[in-house]
Structure formats: structure tokens, C-alpha cells
Amino acid sequence: MRTFAERLTAAYIPEPNSGCWLFTKSLDTAGYGHIWRAPRLVGAHRASYELARGPIPEGLVLHHVCGERR
């Protein structure tokens, strides 16, 4: 069974013009990528941040630099 990090890494492709990472799996109704991390679905952008940098500080708002929700 793959780890959460492996599943997340396998769920995006780089967009060659902007460098954005485009999520290729499930999207929520607003168009944001989400992925299962027990015990619930989490935003792919939040999960990516946490894997790279650690817990998201209280009150921090994450923005998609390229403006692409997925």
C-alpha cells in the first residue's frame, strides 16, 4: 500500500508553461483538488503544504500562486 505522500505525488502533473502542479484526481464542487487522508478528505493544496513545510499555522491562508484551483 502506498503512503499518503506517494498518493499525493502521483496525483498531480506539472503544467509546463506556469510551473503549477495540476491535481488530476477528485475535485470538490468549487474546483479544488481533494484527497483522502484518514479520517477525512483534505484539500490537496493544504496537504501539499503540510508535507513540504509542516503544520499550517492558525490563521494562515494558502493561495494558489498561479490562480488555478486544481
Side-chain angles (χ1 to χ4, degrees), residues 26-41:
S26 180
L27 303 177
D28 67 14
T29 57
Y32 290 94
H34 59 195
I35 189 167
W36 180 259
R37 181 174 61 193
R40 62 189 174 88
L41 285 172

Side-chain angles (χ1 to χ4, degrees), residues 6-67:
E6 290 169 335
R7 288 189 303 111
L8 183 61
T9 301
Y12 74 86
I13 56 170
E15 198 286 317
N17 297 313
S18 68
C20 282
W21 295 359
L22 302 177
F23 196 71
T24 61
K25 304 297 182 189
S26 180
L27 303 177
D28 67 14
T29 57
Y32 290 94
H34 59 195
I35 189 167
W36 180 259
R37 181 174 61 193
R40 62 189 174 88
L41 285 172
V42 295
H45 63 294
R46 296 180 65 84
S48 294
Y49 179 97
E50 290 176 335
L51 283 174
R53 304 214 175 201
I56 300 171
E58 184 72 31
L60 181 68
V61 176
L62 301 179
H63 292 278
H64 297 246
V65 175
C66 63

